[in-house]
Amino acid sequence: MQGPLHVGNIVQIANHSQHWRDLFPAAEIILSISTNEVMERIPQHERTGEERYKISHWHEPNVIASNAVNVIDYNCDNVVLAEPTIPLPPIKPTDGPNNSSFMINAAKAGLNAASRKYVLRIRSDVIFLNKNFLSLYLENVDRPRRFRSILKQRVMICNLFTVNPFCIERLPYHYSDWFNFGLLSDVRNIWDVPLMSYSDTLYYKVNPHKRGSNFREVNFNTRIGVEQHIYTSFLKNNNHNYTLDFHNDTRGTIDSLKVLENEFIIADASYIKVLTQDRSDYLTFDWVDYICIHYNQWKKLHTTSPADYRNIFLDKIEKSNEILQKNSGTADKIEREIEEFSGEVEYHGNNKTKDLTIPGRVILPIYKLILVPKMKRKFEKDKIAFFEDSKNKIAKKVYNISYK
C-alpha cells in the first residue's frame, strides 16, 4: 500500500490495512508512506510490548487517529517512509499539484522493503473487494508473447487510465498506475525510474501543442503525462526503442499497443471489484468506456496484426469523433479560435454577462464531459447560473478560471 498519511485519511488507511489482512491472512503487508503527518516509530528502548508505532505528539488528543495507528501497526508487517520530495506544477490547468514524485518515491520504498516472490503494489486509497484479480492473472499470465519480452512475466494493471491512443485522448504508453500485480522483480523494474523533471512539467507554457490536437489534448501543461513518464522511463531503462516526444505523439501508437499486449494484463475495475472512496466517480463515468482499453479489447490484440489494431476500436473511435464534434471539433479549429479571440465573447444568463477567458474556451467543454445528464442540461441552459448555484469546489475553480 502506498500513499500519504494524515489525519484526514488515517482511518481509511487503517480500514484498508484490515481489509487486506482479512483477504490475505498470510500475506506480507507493507505500508509505504509518501508524506507522514500523524505517526511515528517507537524507539526500541521505549517499547513495552509489540507496538512499533504511535500517534505523533501533536495528535495525541485525537483518540480515533491513535486507534487507527494501532490498527495499522497490528496489520502491517512493515511501515516505511519514502524519500522526502516536493510537488511539481499541475499537469493540467484545473489540476492540483503534480504529486508524481511522491508516488514514485513511495513505490520504490515499498518495493525495496517487499520480500515475497509476487507483489501487489497499490494506491493506499484503493482496494479490491474480492480475489478475482488472482484468477484473472493466472488465466492470462502464460499467454504466448509475440514480441521481444522485457518483463519475466506479464504484470497486471487496471483498465482505468490505460488510455486508448486511437480515441479522444491520443496518448501512447499511457498505462494505468493505480496498481501493479506480478513478480516482485518485474514490478521493481517498472518503478525503477527517475522523477519527472521540472522543465517537462512546464513544457506547454512555452511550446505550442501539436497542430490538430483536440480539446482534451490541449489541456496539458506537461510534456507527457505521469503514466507516460513512468512507463517510457521503464522502457528506456530496458533498451526498448520508443517514440514519444510529447504527450499526443501518435508515432508511438502501434508500438505502445504491442507493449501493452506483450508485457501487461488489463483487469477491468468492474470485474476485480475495485473500490476507491476518494475517486469513486471514475468508476461510473461514461468516458471510461471509450477512453480506456478494456480486458476484452486487450485479448483481441493477441490475435490481431499490429497493422490492424485500429480495427479493434472502431466503435470507440466513432464515439470519440461524435464527442469531438460536439465539443468544438478538432483542436486545429480551437487553435484558430484562440488566435482570433478578442475578448468579445459573452454568455448571458439571469440578466448577467461575463467575459469568457481564453483558458475557459478549452476548459468548459472538458468540464461538461464529466457532468451527469441532469447537471449537463442545467449547464447547457445557463452556464453562469450553473456555476453561481454550485457549491462544488471544483466547479468554483473552473468558474474562476473560465470567466473574467
Side-chain angles (χ1 to χ4, degrees):
M1 304 164 58
Q2 66 166 92
L5 190 67
H6 48 77
V7 172
N9 77 345
I10 191 169
V11 171
Q12 180 194 61
I13 303 306
N15 280 326
H16 285 188
S17 71
Q18 184 64 59
H19 170 74
W20 288 120
R21 180 57 69 200
D22 292 341
L23 206 59
F24 297 103
E28 176 185 60
I29 298 179
I30 297 168
L31 174 62
S32 182
I33 304 173
S34 55
T35 55
N36 175 31
E37 299 176 5
V38 293
M39 192 166 75
E40 62 184 53
R41 187 180 293 273
I42 303 173
Q44 188 70 40
H45 68 277
E46 293 182 9
R47 296 181 186 179
T48 58
E50 295 183 0
E51 293 81 8
R52 299 163 298 164
Y53 307 96
K54 64 180 180 179
I55 194 75
S56 62
H57 171 73
W58 297 106
H59 296 287
E60 282 180 356
N62 190 328
V63 176
I64 298 298
S66 181
N67 291 342
V69 169
N70 293 336
V71 172
I72 292 171
D73 189 6
Y74 180 78
N75 288 308
C76 294
D77 296 284
N78 200 353
V79 176
V80 296
L81 187 61
E83 184 178 340
T85 186
I86 56 175
L88 291 166
I91 299 165
K92 298 179 180 180
T94 55
D95 286 351
N98 174 351
N99 291 321
S100 61
S101 297
F102 294 102
M103 177 174 62
I104 292 171
N105 283 354
K108 289 180 177 180
L111 292 168
N112 285 340
S115 64
R116 304 288 177 85
K117 182 178 180 180
Y118 288 90
V119 67
L120 170 65
R121 182 214 62 85
I122 191 167
R123 294 169 56 109
S124 57
D125 61 349
V126 174
I127 57 172
F128 305 155
L129 290 183
N130 58 34
K131 299 180 181 180
N132 283 355
F133 76 100
L134 290 176
S135 58
L136 186 68
Y137 177 82
L138 293 173
E139 180 184 336
N140 291 280
V141 67
D142 292 325
R143 282 180 178 273
R145 299 165 85 175
R146 298 193 291 173
F147 314 109
R148 184 186 74 87
S149 300
I150 299 173
L151 301 173
K152 297 174 183 175
Q153 292 182 3
R154 286 190 173 88
V155 167
M156 179 175 283
I157 59 175
C158 192
N159 67 314
L160 296 178
F161 296 98
T162 297
V163 175
N164 189 333
F166 283 119
C167 290
I168 199 165
E169 287 188 341
R170 295 165 292 184
L171 308 181
Y173 307 104
H174 196 292
Y175 315 129
S176 179
D177 59 15
W178 275 29
F179 68 82
N180 306 99
F181 176 72
L183 289 172
L184 173 60
S185 59
D186 283 336
V187 180
R188 279 177 174 169
N189 190 351
I190 291 171
W191 285 91
D192 184 20
V193 299
L195 305 182
M196 290 187 77
S197 70
Y198 187 66
S199 59
D200 269 358
T201 65
L202 301 174
Y203 180 80
Y204 286 115
K205 295 287 188 180
V206 294
N207 292 289
H209 288 87
K210 173 187 174 182
R211 188 170 182 82
S213 297
N214 64 47
F215 76 100
R216 290 183 68 101
E217 294 167 347
V218 298
N219 196 37
F220 271 73
N221 295 328
T222 57
R223 183 179 67 86
I224 57 177
V226 171
E227 293 89 342
Q228 291 174 305
H229 166 77
I230 293 166
Y231 287 104
T232 57
S233 295
F234 151 67
L235 294 177
K236 181 178 180 180
N237 288 345
N238 289 274
N239 300 313
H240 179 90
N241 293 323
Y242 69 91
T243 301
L244 192 75
D245 290 343
F246 44 89
H247 71 298
N248 59 342
D249 187 346
T250 53
R251 293 175 296 173
T253 296
I254 299 301
D255 182 65
S256 72
L257 291 173
K258 288 171 66 176
V259 172
L260 181 64
E261 171 194 333
N262 214 56
E263 307 296 339
F264 300 102
I265 300 168
I266 287 186
D268 289 351
S270 59
Y271 177 75
I272 61 173
K273 304 303 179 187
V274 168
L275 183 65
T276 168
Q277 293 174 317
D278 297 335
R279 309 182 82 174
S280 59
D281 50 353
Y282 290 139
L283 305 180
T284 57
F285 280 168
D286 59 355
W287 56 257
V288 170
D289 183 51
Y290 57 85
I291 286 184
C292 304
I293 297 179
H294 301 272
Y295 172 72
N296 286 336
Q297 296 166 336
W298 172 80
K299 280 189 14 178
K300 291 179 181 178
L301 293 174
H302 297 78
T303 56
T304 304
S305 166
D308 297 324
Y309 277 161
R310 187 178 183 276
N311 294 335
I312 298 172
F313 309 106
L314 290 179
D315 58 332
K316 308 305 179 186
I317 294 170
E318 182 179 357
K319 174 68 173 178
S320 297
N321 289 336
E322 291 175 3
I323 292 169
L324 290 174
Q325 290 173 3
K326 291 178 181 177
N327 292 274
S328 301
T330 65
D332 187 34
K333 178 181 178 182
I334 290 176
E335 288 171 351
R336 291 198 300 272
E337 289 174 348
I338 292 175
E339 290 170 0
E340 297 166 2
F341 180 67
S342 59
E344 299 175 350
V345 177
E346 297 178 337
Y347 281 106
H348 299 264
N350 295 336
N351 297 319
K352 296 180 180 180
T353 63
K354 285 185 178 289
D355 292 334
L356 186 66
T357 64
I358 293 177
R361 297 177 68 81
V362 176
I363 294 169
L364 289 183
I366 298 170
Y367 182 73
K368 176 184 170 184
L369 274 182
I370 70 172
L371 298 175
V372 297
K374 182 179 178 181
M375 301 304 291
K376 190 174 295 185
R377 287 192 293 271
K378 183 177 180 181
F379 177 83
E380 291 172 341
K381 182 178 180 181
D382 191 331
K383 295 179 176 63
I384 298 298
F386 172 88
F387 284 116
E388 291 184 345
D389 291 344
S390 178
K391 296 180 181 180
N392 183 280
K393 292 182 180 179
I394 296 177
K396 294 297 184 185
K397 189 170 184 179
V398 171
Y399 176 72
N400 291 334
I401 293 172
S402 301
Y403 294 98
K404 295 180 181 178

